[in-house]
Amino acid sequence: MTEQNSDTPNSTQDLADRVNNRSHRPNSTAFRDFVASGWDRTPLNAEALAAAGFTPARRDAVSAAFPGERLVVPAGGLKVRSNDTDYRFRAHSAFIHLTGLEADSEPDAVLVFEPEGDGHDVTLYFRPRAGADTEEFFSDSRYGEYWVGPRADLEAMSTMTGITTESSATVDDAITKDLGAISVRLVRQADTRIDGVVDLARTQVQADLETSESGDAELAQLLSELRLIKDDHEIAQLREAVAITRSGFDNVVASLPKALGHRRGERVVETAFETAARSDGNGVGYDTIAASGNNACTLHWIRNDGQVRDGDLILVDAGAEADSLYTADITRTLPVSGTFTEVQAKIYDAVLEASDAAFAVAADHPNRPVKFREVHEAAMEVIAKRLEEFGVLPVSTAESLSPEGQQHRRWMVHGTSHHLGLDVHDCAQARAEMYLDATLEPGMVFTIEPGLYFKSDDLLLPEEFRGNGVRIEDDVLVTADGVENLSAAFPRTRTEIEAWVQGRAQER
């Protein structure tokens, strides 16, 4: 084995320095002195974030739930995509919810709730702006201002968030001090480095690890449940995300003629949507599904490398993420030719009827307590009934709907609804009694998305049904008077969809 060249990266080399192997960066004292001089280092201007008026109440709710305990909520760190290239940063949703930070803020930051009196002192630990005379400023390709742009200083960050700030250089001591005499709860898997710091400290003081893990899980659960009811700021951000998403879908429809002539027509559709999502928002809230023909029957088809053929249905499940990181989640199924075939129309109308039934149940909540799971049950009654009428259900509707049956779920295996917010599947760590068995309350935002998926290799189906998948998904806000369809501006009925496709194609 030959000796390793000193310029060759190895597993122990710091990731941020791997660029050095190809950068030819000068190291002379003259260069260092010169590059550090002549920079305007006026403190950056800062204004309070739009969410700053709402986050104190969120933090107060967390504080009240865990009196006398230290709470640690990391943002997370940068994640390597390949070698010295990172993915675009997106902080943990609990961190965003409690700080109000937006877009790609703030890698390696940690929010710490320190017990004080009857409540907590809250401090945001982050990596503040470095001086121009530091090595980081000009040489650190991962964090340096010369490379990735300026960061806030301590005062600016405090102005933006309304939270006391400290340098993240001191965060390890802040989260481990007096451990053993004080209980610490941690949002795990947000930042593996912070996980390691807390785990080591717990081991050193011989903490009961089972109790610690249970405490961490309870914190994650509370932070998830805290987002079940959206405040006015959150609802406004979701409206913005839906509006951006509508622009994206208009792009999608306009792209269909080009998609028809491309060997990867689904990619044409995908990028048409993402142009609007990235131009007008932070980007997409999740990987876009652009699934034509039989691909529409693969529920999470994100490869998007198939052709778009005349006569196909194309199922597009996409959501734009606003700069605040709240995301929409909309699905429309479009006839590529502009007109549904007779069989496609039957399938589409069945799914639309199921969606309308789910909406009707949700809207009835002012008159009686409505459980979240009832929304799904209403859609399933329609799906089972229509499958029986299509002649594909091997049992009666009543038998299929029974717990012992459920044969209809072969053609719709997913749920009808999930909560929506900072995560596309928001509040996922909430308890069942707070989620599936919860009573609908004003401020909840969730999807209604029934579907039918008839795979081309499903031999239990009549041949003319095979290769068609339909889903209709809308974003729904529970109000005091009923529900509001946040995506009501999207074409939804079969007639509206056909006019949309035909009209946008003609414009193109």
Side-chain angles (χ1 to χ4, degrees), residues 69-305:
E69 299 183 83
R70 182 179 299 142
L71 312 175
V72 181
V73 185
L78 294 165
K79 293 181 173 61
V80 177
R81 183 182 186 275
S82 176
N83 191 36
D84 59 354
T85 303
D86 294 318
Y87 287 102
R88 185 178 290 119
F89 181 71
R90 203 277 196 188
H92 191 282
S93 292
F95 176 88
I96 293 297
H97 189 242
L98 296 175
T99 64
L101 286 166
E102 300 183 340
D104 59 354
S105 299
E106 180 70 43
D108 303 321
V110 185
L111 191 67
V112 178
F113 290 68
E114 184 67 24
E116 179 63 33
D118 295 332
H120 289 82
D121 288 336
V122 182
T123 303
L124 175 58
Y125 293 84
F126 77 105
R127 182 189 290 261
R129 189 184 193 196
D133 58 345
T134 63
E135 184 89 0
E136 177 185 297
F137 175 79
F138 67 87
S139 69
D140 190 332
S141 63
R142 206 176 202 196
Y143 296 104
E145 185 170 330
Y146 205 101
W147 294 80
V148 298
R151 295 190 306 275
D153 55 28
L154 293 173
E155 184 177 351
M157 181 63 75
S158 185
T159 298
M160 291 190 302
T161 62
I163 305 171
T164 300
T165 57
E166 294 285 351
S167 169
S168 55
T170 63
V171 72
D172 290 8
D173 289 340
I175 62 180
T176 60
K177 67 181 180 181
D178 303 323
L179 191 63
I182 187 172
S183 172
V184 176
R185 295 178 187 257
L186 166 68
V187 174
R188 300 192 67 84
Q189 299 181 343
D191 188 323
T192 56
R193 194 194 73 80
I194 297 296
D195 286 356
V197 169
V198 173
D199 288 345
L200 177 61
R202 283 172 172 170
T203 300
Q204 289 173 337
V205 300
Q206 298 182 323
D208 185 322
L209 298 184
E210 185 174 339
T211 299
S212 296
E213 290 174 6
S214 177
D216 293 344
E218 288 172 358
L219 174 60
Q221 178 180 282
L222 182 280
L223 294 174
S224 194
E225 292 174 355
L226 189 62
R227 305 205 304 270
L228 283 166
I229 306 296
K230 270 59 179 180
D231 59 35
D232 289 346
H233 173 75
E234 293 178 284
I235 292 168
Q237 294 307 305
L238 285 164
R239 291 187 191 280
E240 181 178 349
V242 170
I244 298 169
T245 300
R246 173 61 201 265
S247 296
F249 268 86
D250 283 339
N251 284 358
V252 162
V253 174
S255 76
L256 290 177
K258 180 181 178 182
L260 276 166
H262 198 284
R263 67 185 181 89
R264 289 183 171 180
E266 291 174 343
R267 294 268 173 98
V268 173
V269 171
E270 174 188 358
T271 54
F273 179 83
E274 292 182 359
T275 295
R278 186 63 178 158
S279 297
D280 299 331
N282 191 56
V284 294
Y286 55 94
D287 288 329
T288 298
I289 298 169
S292 188
N294 188 57
N295 290 342
C297 302
T298 299
L299 298 181
H300 286 171
W301 176 261
I302 59 172
R303 190 177 301 159
N304 300 339
D305 61 356

